[in-house]
Amino acid sequence: MGNKDSFGRTLIFVLITCLVCSVIVAGAAVGLRDLQVANKALDKQTKILEASGRLANAGTDIPAAYDKYVIAKLVDLKTGKFVEGNVNTFDQRIAALSSDTSIKPVNDIAKINRRANQSIVYLVKDDAGKVDTIVLEVRGSGLWSMMYAFVGLETDLNTVKSVIYYDQGETPGLGGEVENPKWKKQWIGKKLFNNNGDIAIRVVKGGAKAGDIHGVDGLSGATLTGKGVENTFKFWLGEEGFGLFITNYRQELKLNGGH
């Protein structure tokens, strides 16, 4: 009997310990959830400010700088026009999972499988309050992973200010060089479209020629990742991406005298 009682007490002790540990772990997860959400938002704001060239103005208060400089708006990609919606709760990745809020592209050159019906466009102001940068969010497949980036553009929606990859799983030292500052600098001033309005930006294996306004040097040893980057731009600049938005925004800019 003594051994049975001892076993029973041990079992009860183990169960109680497990229950207490479960409660502690669950409580910690709930307690950390808000912190994780806040950190994710902070990282996103930082990358958008970096893409717009406003990160240097932010100092230590990223949220305040973001609120000062950035206006986030939802765009209906089918019409290319701004629509009402909550930009704080909208998640393009989640929207792309449902057939009710996304489409399967006809020409899925970026290999994204599904594209959300809407996207957020970030209008970034200068210190005088005038919009001088448009930040677009793009994604496309590399060799090993889906790669996510913010692209900062001049208001002509043709001249590149920055390309900031913020989530990718390519091979470090090869495809992972999309995050290398030296490679990112090559994008500054490049033109996305040629004089005929055709998509002309490309990643050149072996290196772009001097003076090539549409060419960016390929990543050494990462040809497929570089091709993925090029295809990402071709998709998102096209009619199934931001194509109609770009056309509409340029027209409105002309009607407003370029302001």
Side-chain angles (χ1 to χ4, degrees):
M1 287 294 292
N3 288 339
K4 290 184 178 179
D5 289 342
S6 177
F7 175 76
R9 291 193 184 106
T10 301
L11 182 60
I12 292 172
F13 174 78
V14 170
L15 291 175
I16 291 174
T17 301
C18 290
L19 179 60
V20 171
C21 289
S22 297
V23 171
I24 292 173
V25 171
V30 172
L32 290 173
R33 187 176 301 150
D34 290 343
L35 180 60
Q36 290 171 339
V37 171
N39 285 339
K40 184 177 180 180
L42 180 63
D43 183 63
K44 184 175 183 179
Q45 291 174 349
T46 301
K47 295 300 184 184
I48 292 169
L49 288 171
E50 182 183 358
S52 68
R54 292 285 172 269
L55 187 57
N57 303 63
T60 57
D61 197 342
I62 297 294
Y66 182 87
D67 290 341
K68 177 181 179 180
Y69 293 112
V70 182
I71 303 170
K73 290 190 174 184
L74 273 178
V75 169
D76 183 335
L77 295 177
K78 185 177 181 180
T79 64
K81 296 182 179 180
F82 291 122
V83 293
E84 295 295 325
N86 190 334
V87 295
N88 295 316
T89 59
F90 178 79
D91 189 318
Q92 189 174 158
R93 300 192 198 192
I94 293 176
L97 296 176
S98 171
S99 59
D100 294 330
T101 53
S102 68
I103 64 165
K104 193 170 182 64
V106 175
N107 183 24
D108 190 12
I109 190 172
K111 298 180 181 179
I112 62 173
N113 189 34
R114 300 197 70 87
R115 187 221 69 193
N117 295 333
Q118 299 177 336
S119 184
I120 299 178
V121 168
Y122 302 90
L123 310 179
V124 188
K125 301 174 289 184
D126 59 19
D127 286 317
K130 178 183 176 182
V131 174
D132 70 350
T133 308
I134 315 296
V135 177
L136 306 179
E137 188 171 7
V138 303
R139 64 187 173 98
S141 291
L143 173 60
W144 303 112
S145 66
M146 186 64 65
M147 304 187 296
Y148 299 82
F150 289 116
V151 180
L153 302 174
E154 303 279 0
T155 52
D156 62 2
L157 291 176
N158 186 29
T159 308
V160 180
K161 296 184 73 172
S162 64
V163 174
I164 308 297
Y165 274 92
Y166 64 90
D167 187 1
Q168 55 83 23
E170 298 298 282
T171 306
L174 297 174
E177 291 295 285
V178 292
E179 296 189 45
N180 188 315
K182 291 183 179 180
W183 191 73
K184 292 193 292 185
K185 283 183 178 179
Q186 293 189 50
W187 288 88
I188 300 173
K190 296 297 182 180
K191 303 293 184 180
L192 301 177
F193 302 92
N194 61 24
N195 292 333
N196 296 322
D198 300 320
I199 301 169
I201 193 70
R202 63 194 184 282
V203 177
V204 183
K205 182 179 179 180
K209 294 181 180 179
D212 185 350
I213 62 173
H214 304 299
V216 176
D217 290 353
L219 296 162
S220 180
T223 301
L224 293 180
T225 300
K227 191 64 178 178
V229 171
E230 180 178 310
N231 287 338
T232 295
F233 274 83
K234 287 182 177 179
F235 175 82
W236 287 103
L237 296 174
E239 61 181 17
E240 292 190 281
F242 290 105
L244 283 176
F245 165 74
I246 291 172
T247 299
N248 290 342
Y249 193 88
R250 286 173 174 170
Q251 290 176 345
E252 290 182 12
L253 205 62
K254 286 182 179 180
L255 291 175
N256 293 324
H259 298 288

